[in-house]
Structures are given as C-alpha cells and as structure tokens.
Amino acid sequence: MSVGLALLGLLEAGPRHGYDLKRSYDDRFGHGRALHYGQVYSTLARLLKNGLVEVESEPGDGPERKRYAITPAGVADVAGWLAQPEKPEPYLQSTLYTKVVLALLTGRDAADLLDVQRSEHLRLMRELTRRKSEGDLADQLICDHALFHLEADLRWLELTAARLGQLAAHVRS
C-alpha cells in the first residue's frame, strides 16, 4: 500500500500537521505497524516536491509549525488510486480496507470501489480456472491455491459490502 496516497486521502478532510497525520494513519491503518515520524515527513516532503500537497505556516509562539494541505493534483491522484482495482493477491485486505475507509472518509462511493474490485477478482478466477483445466498437476495445485485465496477475498468483499453502513458510521465518528 502507498503511504503517500493514504496520507493524501487523510488530508482531504482538511489541512493537518505531520504528527496529526501520523496519529490518524496509525489509528486507522497501523494495526500494529505504526509509521515512523521520519517516514511521514519524508513522504510529505516528496508529496510537496511533486505538487500534491502545499504547506500552510502557522503564526504563533515557538518554532514555526507546518500544516500540510492537499492540492487539486493530490485529490486527483487519490481519486485515481481509489478507482484503480488492486491486483488480486493473498493478504490484499489491508490495502482494500484502507481504500474502503478512505472512500468513506472522502465521500466517494465505497460500494462502487468494492464492485470494481469484485469484478477484477472474478476475472482472475476465470483465467485461473481455464489455466487449471488445461494444466498438469502442478498447475492445478498452484491454481487451486490462488483460487482459494481469491474466494476468501470475495467473501471479505461481500461481508464488507454488507457492512458498509456500519463501517461508514464507525469511521466518521
């Protein structure tokens, strides 16, 4: 998963300081793998260089603090990323979960995102089923392994689609 795109998606809610972005990322997506501050700030520096965020300085006591705001180019990048289905593969849910949460947080259609992903999974399953029917025992076993993972992903997609209302209420609270 792209940390930069996740940070951009979080910035769509409004400008934030780097430490606020880190905390929000860790709360929503960290799940035992918190970001390092250095990664947050190096990612923000790259996003700034690429014109995807801009800096808003805050006057006040103490050292100057930077708030980062997403630019229209950054919004377009997030929208493109959310619309692009992920390559179906094992352990995909963490990236899919991130996309679903960010779609809900940014007012995009999470159900459509899940439908597009479902279509991509079904396409690959058809391809693997064809390969399995034409292959030797090794191909059959490899395809079965991949198909079982894809079936589990499809069950997760269906479950998530059924719980989108609950998830939306949870992530927006």
mmCIF file of all heavy atoms in Angstrom, residues 46-86:
data_model
loop_
_atom_site.group_PDB
_atom_site.id
_atom_site.type_symbol
_atom_site.label_atom_id
_atom_site.label_comp_id
_atom_site.label_asym_id
_atom_site.label_seq_id
_atom_site.Cartn_x
_atom_site.Cartn_y
_atom_site.Cartn_z
ATOM 1 N N ARG A 46 8.244 14.539 -0.228
ATOM 2 C CA ARG A 46 8.110 14.060 -1.607
ATOM 3 C C ARG A 46 6.790 14.534 -2.221
ATOM 4 O O ARG A 46 6.749 14.966 -3.372
ATOM 5 C CB ARG A 46 8.202 12.532 -1.643
ATOM 6 C CG ARG A 46 8.307 11.969 -3.058
ATOM 7 C CD ARG A 46 8.397 10.446 -3.099
ATOM 8 N NE ARG A 46 7.096 9.847 -2.863
ATOM 9 C CZ ARG A 46 6.675 9.267 -1.732
ATOM 10 N NH1 ARG A 46 7.472 9.179 -0.695
ATOM 11 N NH2 ARG A 46 5.484 8.763 -1.626
ATOM 12 N N LEU A 47 5.723 14.487 -1.457
ATOM 13 C CA LEU A 47 4.419 14.948 -1.948
ATOM 14 C C LEU A 47 4.454 16.449 -2.241
ATOM 15 O O LEU A 47 3.869 16.906 -3.226
ATOM 16 C CB LEU A 47 3.315 14.628 -0.935
ATOM 17 C CG LEU A 47 3.036 13.138 -0.689
ATOM 18 C CD1 LEU A 47 2.067 12.962 0.479
ATOM 19 C CD2 LEU A 47 2.517 12.462 -1.942
ATOM 20 N N LEU A 48 5.155 17.195 -1.411
ATOM 21 C CA LEU A 48 5.306 18.633 -1.612
ATOM 22 C C LEU A 48 6.102 18.914 -2.886
ATOM 23 O O LEU A 48 5.701 19.727 -3.727
ATOM 24 C CB LEU A 48 6.005 19.257 -0.397
ATOM 25 C CG LEU A 48 6.222 20.766 -0.410
ATOM 26 C CD1 LEU A 48 4.887 21.498 -0.404
ATOM 27 C CD2 LEU A 48 7.045 21.167 0.819
ATOM 28 N N LYS A 49 7.199 18.194 -3.051
ATOM 29 C CA LYS A 49 8.034 18.346 -4.239
ATOM 30 C C LYS A 49 7.257 18.038 -5.515
ATOM 31 O O LYS A 49 7.443 18.684 -6.544
ATOM 32 C CB LYS A 49 9.245 17.412 -4.128
ATOM 33 C CG LYS A 49 10.167 17.438 -5.320
ATOM 34 C CD LYS A 49 11.308 16.451 -5.158
ATOM 35 C CE LYS A 49 12.092 16.359 -6.445
ATOM 36 N NZ LYS A 49 12.976 15.200 -6.452
ATOM 37 N N ASN A 50 6.354 17.043 -5.436
ATOM 38 C CA ASN A 50 5.569 16.638 -6.599
ATOM 39 C C ASN A 50 4.297 17.456 -6.788
ATOM 40 O O ASN A 50 3.500 17.156 -7.676
ATOM 41 C CB ASN A 50 5.223 15.147 -6.509
ATOM 42 C CG ASN A 50 6.448 14.277 -6.632
ATOM 43 O OD1 ASN A 50 7.436 14.651 -7.252
ATOM 44 N ND2 ASN A 50 6.406 13.105 -6.033
ATOM 45 N N GLY A 51 4.088 18.467 -5.952
ATOM 46 C CA GLY A 51 2.935 19.351 -6.102
ATOM 47 C C GLY A 51 1.619 18.749 -5.660
ATOM 48 O O GLY A 51 0.549 19.237 -6.043
ATOM 49 N N LEU A 52 1.661 17.719 -4.834
ATOM 50 C CA LEU A 52 0.438 17.062 -4.391
ATOM 51 C C LEU A 52 -0.068 17.606 -3.055
ATOM 52 O O LEU A 52 -1.235 17.410 -2.703
ATOM 53 C CB LEU A 52 0.650 15.554 -4.303
ATOM 54 C CG LEU A 52 1.116 14.902 -5.617
ATOM 55 C CD1 LEU A 52 1.408 13.424 -5.414
ATOM 56 C CD2 LEU A 52 0.086 15.106 -6.711
ATOM 57 N N VAL A 53 0.825 18.271 -2.310
ATOM 58 C CA VAL A 53 0.450 18.986 -1.090
ATOM 59 C C VAL A 53 1.114 20.350 -1.116
ATOM 60 O O VAL A 53 2.063 20.591 -1.872
ATOM 61 C CB VAL A 53 0.858 18.241 0.213
ATOM 62 C CG1 VAL A 53 0.165 16.904 0.339
ATOM 63 C CG2 VAL A 53 2.350 18.091 0.340
ATOM 64 N N GLU A 54 0.578 21.224 -0.278
ATOM 65 C CA GLU A 54 1.209 22.534 -0.080
ATOM 66 C C GLU A 54 1.304 22.763 1.418
ATOM 67 O O GLU A 54 0.626 22.107 2.207
ATOM 68 C CB GLU A 54 0.409 23.627 -0.775
ATOM 69 C CG GLU A 54 -1.023 23.677 -0.395
ATOM 70 C CD GLU A 54 -1.861 24.574 -1.307
ATOM 71 O OE1 GLU A 54 -1.383 24.984 -2.373
ATOM 72 O OE2 GLU A 54 -3.000 24.849 -0.923
ATOM 73 N N VAL A 55 2.170 23.702 1.815
ATOM 74 C CA VAL A 55 2.407 23.968 3.225
ATOM 75 C C VAL A 55 1.711 25.263 3.614
ATOM 76 O O VAL A 55 1.789 26.266 2.909
ATOM 77 C CB VAL A 55 3.922 24.089 3.514
ATOM 78 C CG1 VAL A 55 4.178 24.533 4.942
ATOM 79 C CG2 VAL A 55 4.615 22.771 3.234
ATOM 80 N N GLU A 56 1.037 25.193 4.739
ATOM 81 C CA GLU A 56 0.452 26.380 5.347
ATOM 82 C C GLU A 56 1.193 26.609 6.656
ATOM 83 O O GLU A 56 1.175 25.752 7.536
ATOM 84 C CB GLU A 56 -1.034 26.162 5.650
ATOM 85 C CG GLU A 56 -1.888 25.869 4.457
ATOM 86 C CD GLU A 56 -3.338 25.624 4.852
ATOM 87 O OE1 GLU A 56 -3.643 25.502 6.051
ATOM 88 O OE2 GLU A 56 -4.153 25.540 3.933
ATOM 89 N N SER A 57 1.849 27.739 6.793
ATOM 90 C CA SER A 57 2.558 28.035 8.032
ATOM 91 C C SER A 57 1.588 28.631 9.034
ATOM 92 O O SER A 57 0.651 29.331 8.678
ATOM 93 C CB SER A 57 3.693 29.021 7.781
ATOM 94 O OG SER A 57 4.648 28.434 6.950
ATOM 95 N N GLU A 58 1.840 28.350 10.297
ATOM 96 C CA GLU A 58 1.005 28.887 11.363
ATOM 97 C C GLU A 58 1.807 29.870 12.190
ATOM 98 O O GLU A 58 2.869 29.538 12.708
ATOM 99 C CB GLU A 58 0.538 27.772 12.294
ATOM 100 C CG GLU A 58 -0.547 26.928 11.732
ATOM 101 C CD GLU A 58 -1.062 25.954 12.786
ATOM 102 O OE1 GLU A 58 -0.366 25.697 13.780
ATOM 103 O OE2 GLU A 58 -2.152 25.472 12.596
ATOM 104 N N PRO A 59 1.312 31.087 12.323
ATOM 105 C CA PRO A 59 1.989 32.023 13.215
ATOM 106 C C PRO A 59 1.715 31.618 14.664
ATOM 107 O O PRO A 59 0.703 30.996 14.963
ATOM 108 C CB PRO A 59 1.340 33.359 12.878
ATOM 109 C CG PRO A 59 -0.003 33.011 12.332
ATOM 110 C CD PRO A 59 0.147 31.662 11.687
ATOM 111 N N GLY A 60 2.603 31.967 15.542
ATOM 112 C CA GLY A 60 2.373 31.661 16.948
ATOM 113 C C GLY A 60 3.671 31.572 17.704
ATOM 114 O O GLY A 60 4.743 31.857 17.185
ATOM 115 N N ASP A 61 3.533 31.221 18.954
ATOM 116 C CA ASP A 61 4.704 31.080 19.820
ATOM 117 C C ASP A 61 5.486 29.828 19.450
ATOM 118 O O ASP A 61 4.929 28.850 18.973
ATOM 119 C CB ASP A 61 4.266 30.978 21.278
ATOM 120 C CG ASP A 61 3.557 32.243 21.755
ATOM 121 O OD1 ASP A 61 3.875 33.317 21.221
ATOM 122 O OD2 ASP A 61 2.679 32.140 22.632
ATOM 123 N N GLY A 62 6.753 29.868 19.680
ATOM 124 C CA GLY A 62 7.588 28.701 19.449
ATOM 125 C C GLY A 62 7.979 28.562 17.996
ATOM 126 O O GLY A 62 7.766 29.446 17.172
ATOM 127 N N PRO A 63 8.554 27.404 17.683
ATOM 128 C CA PRO A 63 9.035 27.190 16.316
ATOM 129 C C PRO A 63 7.862 27.170 15.322
ATOM 130 O O PRO A 63 6.733 26.854 15.668
ATOM 131 C CB PRO A 63 9.703 25.822 16.382
ATOM 132 C CG PRO A 63 9.285 25.203 17.656
ATOM 133 C CD PRO A 63 8.766 26.281 18.559
ATOM 134 N N GLU A 64 8.181 27.570 14.128
ATOM 135 C CA GLU A 64 7.162 27.574 13.080
ATOM 136 C C GLU A 64 6.704 26.147 12.820
ATOM 137 O O GLU A 64 7.492 25.238 12.669
ATOM 138 C CB GLU A 64 7.755 28.169 11.803
ATOM 139 C CG GLU A 64 6.736 28.360 10.713
ATOM 140 C CD GLU A 64 7.332 29.042 9.510
ATOM 141 O OE1 GLU A 64 7.963 30.091 9.678
ATOM 142 O OE2 GLU A 64 7.147 28.512 8.403
ATOM 143 N N ARG A 65 5.387 25.990 12.789
ATOM 144 C CA ARG A 65 4.821 24.661 12.544
ATOM 145 C C ARG A 65 4.176 24.660 11.171
ATOM 146 O O ARG A 65 3.543 25.624 10.774
ATOM 147 C CB ARG A 65 3.804 24.329 13.617
ATOM 148 C CG ARG A 65 4.470 24.249 14.990
ATOM 149 C CD ARG A 65 3.507 24.005 16.107
ATOM 150 N NE ARG A 65 2.493 23.028 15.747
ATOM 151 C CZ ARG A 65 1.391 22.852 16.447
ATOM 152 N NH1 ARG A 65 1.154 23.568 17.507
ATOM 153 N NH2 ARG A 65 0.504 21.953 16.079
ATOM 154 N N LYS A 66 4.324 23.544 10.494
ATOM 155 C CA LYS A 66 3.770 23.431 9.146
ATOM 156 C C LYS A 66 2.498 22.594 9.180
ATOM 157 O O LYS A 66 2.452 21.551 9.810
ATOM 158 C CB LYS A 66 4.768 22.745 8.201
ATOM 159 C CG LYS A 66 6.032 23.507 7.985
ATOM 160 C CD LYS A 66 6.956 22.710 7.083
ATOM 161 C CE LYS A 66 8.272 23.424 6.896
ATOM 162 N NZ LYS A 66 9.197 22.635 6.086
ATOM 163 N N ARG A 67 1.508 23.104 8.470
ATOM 164 C CA ARG A 67 0.306 22.316 8.210
ATOM 165 C C ARG A 67 0.310 22.016 6.726
ATOM 166 O O ARG A 67 0.569 22.887 5.907
ATOM 167 C CB ARG A 67 -0.960 23.088 8.582
ATOM 168 C CG ARG A 67 -1.209 23.096 10.065
ATOM 169 C CD ARG A 67 -2.409 23.902 10.498
ATOM 170 N NE ARG A 67 -3.373 24.199 9.469
ATOM 171 C CZ ARG A 67 -4.689 24.073 9.614
ATOM 172 N NH1 ARG A 67 -5.173 23.620 10.744
ATOM 173 N NH2 ARG A 67 -5.508 24.399 8.652
ATOM 174 N N TYR A 68 0.014 20.789 6.409
ATOM 175 C CA TYR A 68 0.000 20.353 5.019
ATOM 176 C C TYR A 68 -1.438 20.289 4.526
ATOM 177 O O TYR A 68 -2.332 19.854 5.244
ATOM 178 C CB TYR A 68 0.674 18.978 4.889
ATOM 179 C CG TYR A 68 2.125 19.020 5.265
ATOM 180 C CD1 TYR A 68 2.519 18.840 6.586
ATOM 181 C CD2 TYR A 68 3.093 19.280 4.312
ATOM 182 C CE1 TYR A 68 3.861 18.894 6.940
ATOM 183 C CE2 TYR A 68 4.430 19.332 4.660
ATOM 184 C CZ TYR A 68 4.799 19.151 5.973
ATOM 185 O OH TYR A 68 6.124 19.212 6.320
ATOM 186 N N ALA A 69 -1.634 20.764 3.300
ATOM 187 C CA ALA A 69 -2.954 20.731 2.667
ATOM 188 C C ALA A 69 -2.817 20.055 1.308
ATOM 189 O O ALA A 69 -1.823 20.238 0.609
ATOM 190 C CB ALA A 69 -3.498 22.149 2.509
ATOM 191 N N ILE A 70 -3.823 19.304 0.950
ATOM 192 C CA ILE A 70 -3.808 18.614 -0.339
ATOM 193 C C ILE A 70 -4.115 19.615 -1.456
ATOM 194 O O ILE A 70 -4.894 20.537 -1.272
ATOM 195 C CB ILE A 70 -4.810 17.427 -0.331
ATOM 196 C CG1 ILE A 70 -4.591 16.515 -1.533
ATOM 197 C CG2 ILE A 70 -6.244 17.900 -0.216
ATOM 198 C CD1 ILE A 70 -5.333 15.178 -1.436
ATOM 199 N N THR A 71 -3.479 19.436 -2.590
ATOM 200 C CA THR A 71 -3.731 20.286 -3.764
ATOM 201 C C THR A 71 -4.733 19.563 -4.676
ATOM 202 O O THR A 71 -4.994 18.370 -4.503
ATOM 203 C CB THR A 71 -2.429 20.531 -4.548
ATOM 204 O OG1 THR A 71 -1.969 19.267 -5.061
ATOM 205 C CG2 THR A 71 -1.357 21.180 -3.676
ATOM 206 N N PRO A 72 -5.275 20.276 -5.665
ATOM 207 C CA PRO A 72 -6.156 19.597 -6.622
ATOM 208 C C PRO A 72 -5.474 18.407 -7.313
ATOM 209 O O PRO A 72 -6.110 17.374 -7.556
ATOM 210 C CB PRO A 72 -6.515 20.700 -7.617
ATOM 211 C CG PRO A 72 -6.442 21.957 -6.803
ATOM 212 C CD PRO A 72 -5.282 21.734 -5.865
ATOM 213 N N ALA A 73 -4.185 18.520 -7.582
ATOM 214 C CA ALA A 73 -3.453 17.392 -8.178
ATOM 215 C C ALA A 73 -3.414 16.212 -7.215
ATOM 216 O O ALA A 73 -3.512 15.050 -7.630
ATOM 217 C CB ALA A 73 -2.038 17.816 -8.565
ATOM 218 N N GLY A 74 -3.289 16.488 -5.924
ATOM 219 C CA GLY A 74 -3.298 15.427 -4.919
ATOM 220 C C GLY A 74 -4.656 14.745 -4.837
ATOM 221 O O GLY A 74 -4.739 13.520 -4.729
ATOM 222 N N VAL A 75 -5.725 15.537 -4.909
ATOM 223 C CA VAL A 75 -7.080 14.971 -4.907
ATOM 224 C C VAL A 75 -7.256 14.060 -6.108
ATOM 225 O O VAL A 75 -7.808 12.962 -6.011
ATOM 226 C CB VAL A 75 -8.146 16.088 -4.885
ATOM 227 C CG1 VAL A 75 -9.551 15.510 -5.089
ATOM 228 C CG2 VAL A 75 -8.074 16.881 -3.584
ATOM 229 N N ALA A 76 -6.762 14.502 -7.263
ATOM 230 C CA ALA A 76 -6.867 13.690 -8.486
ATOM 231 C C ALA A 76 -6.091 12.380 -8.345
ATOM 232 O O ALA A 76 -6.559 11.328 -8.790
ATOM 233 C CB ALA A 76 -6.372 14.489 -9.692
ATOM 234 N N ASP A 77 -4.917 12.429 -7.721
ATOM 235 C CA ASP A 77 -4.133 11.203 -7.514
ATOM 236 C C ASP A 77 -4.866 10.220 -6.617
ATOM 237 O O ASP A 77 -4.884 9.013 -6.884
ATOM 238 C CB ASP A 77 -2.768 11.525 -6.912
ATOM 239 C CG ASP A 77 -1.719 11.810 -7.967
ATOM 240 O OD1 ASP A 77 -2.069 11.999 -9.143
ATOM 241 O OD2 ASP A 77 -0.529 11.824 -7.603
ATOM 242 N N VAL A 78 -5.463 10.720 -5.533
ATOM 243 C CA VAL A 78 -6.211 9.839 -4.627
ATOM 244 C C VAL A 78 -7.403 9.234 -5.364
ATOM 245 O O VAL A 78 -7.657 8.035 -5.275
ATOM 246 C CB VAL A 78 -6.677 10.594 -3.362
ATOM 247 C CG1 VAL A 78 -7.605 9.731 -2.521
ATOM 248 C CG2 VAL A 78 -5.477 11.025 -2.534
ATOM 249 N N ALA A 79 -8.116 10.054 -6.101
ATOM 250 C CA ALA A 79 -9.284 9.563 -6.841
ATOM 251 C C ALA A 79 -8.879 8.482 -7.840
ATOM 252 O O ALA A 79 -9.547 7.445 -7.955
ATOM 253 C CB ALA A 79 -9.982 10.712 -7.561
ATOM 254 N N GLY A 80 -7.786 8.689 -8.547
ATOM 255 C CA GLY A 80 -7.302 7.699 -9.500
ATOM 256 C C GLY A 80 -6.893 6.412 -8.819
ATOM 257 O O GLY A 80 -7.184 5.311 -9.306
ATOM 258 N N TRP A 81 -6.224 6.523 -7.681
ATOM 259 C CA TRP A 81 -5.782 5.344 -6.940
ATOM 260 C C TRP A 81 -6.978 4.551 -6.425
ATOM 261 O O TRP A 81 -7.016 3.323 -6.525
ATOM 262 C CB TRP A 81 -4.872 5.768 -5.791
ATOM 263 C CG TRP A 81 -4.373 4.647 -4.927
ATOM 264 C CD1 TRP A 81 -3.591 3.593 -5.301
ATOM 265 C CD2 TRP A 81 -4.613 4.477 -3.533
ATOM 266 N NE1 TRP A 81 -3.324 2.787 -4.214
ATOM 267 C CE2 TRP A 81 -3.938 3.309 -3.120
ATOM 268 C CE3 TRP A 81 -5.309 5.211 -2.580
ATOM 269 C CZ2 TRP A 81 -3.953 2.869 -1.808
ATOM 270 C CZ3 TRP A 81 -5.320 4.760 -1.276
ATOM 271 C CH2 TRP A 81 -4.644 3.596 -0.906
ATOM 272 N N LEU A 82 -7.969 5.260 -5.862
ATOM 273 C CA LEU A 82 -9.143 4.575 -5.333
ATOM 274 C C LEU A 82 -9.947 3.896 -6.435
ATOM 275 O O LEU A 82 -10.554 2.852 -6.213
ATOM 276 C CB LEU A 82 -10.042 5.554 -4.568
ATOM 277 C CG LEU A 82 -9.467 6.082 -3.252
ATOM 278 C CD1 LEU A 82 -10.392 7.127 -2.661
ATOM 279 C CD2 LEU A 82 -9.210 4.960 -2.267
ATOM 280 N N ALA A 83 -9.951 4.467 -7.627
ATOM 281 C CA ALA A 83 -10.716 3.896 -8.735
ATOM 282 C C ALA A 83 -10.019 2.698 -9.377
ATOM 283 O O ALA A 83 -10.664 1.881 -10.029
ATOM 284 C CB ALA A 83 -10.970 4.972 -9.797
ATOM 285 N N GLN A 84 -8.724 2.579 -9.194
ATOM 286 C CA GLN A 84 -7.939 1.507 -9.826
ATOM 287 C C GLN A 84 -7.998 0.246 -8.972
ATOM 288 O O GLN A 84 -7.595 0.267 -7.817
ATOM 289 C CB GLN A 84 -6.482 1.966 -9.967
ATOM 290 C CG GLN A 84 -5.570 0.959 -10.614
ATOM 291 C CD GLN A 84 -5.901 0.766 -12.075
ATOM 292 O OE1 GLN A 84 -6.251 1.701 -12.763
ATOM 293 N NE2 GLN A 84 -5.805 -0.457 -12.528
ATOM 294 N N PRO A 85 -8.495 -0.865 -9.510
ATOM 295 C CA PRO A 85 -8.525 -2.085 -8.697
ATOM 296 C C PRO A 85 -7.111 -2.586 -8.407
ATOM 297 O O PRO A 85 -6.214 -2.413 -9.217
ATOM 298 C CB PRO A 85 -9.295 -3.088 -9.557
ATOM 299 C CG PRO A 85 -9.170 -2.580 -10.941
ATOM 300 C CD PRO A 85 -9.012 -1.084 -10.855
ATOM 301 N N GLU A 86 -6.963 -3.177 -7.248
ATOM 302 C CA GLU A 86 -5.685 -3.778 -6.881
ATOM 303 C C GLU A 86 -5.548 -5.112 -7.594
ATOM 304 O O GLU A 86 -6.540 -5.776 -7.879
ATOM 305 C CB GLU A 86 -5.622 -4.016 -5.372
ATOM 306 C CG GLU A 86 -5.558 -2.764 -4.553
ATOM 307 C CD GLU A 86 -4.284 -1.994 -4.754
ATOM 308 O OE1 GLU A 86 -3.198 -2.598 -4.761
ATOM 309 O OE2 GLU A 86 -4.372 -0.762 -4.937
#
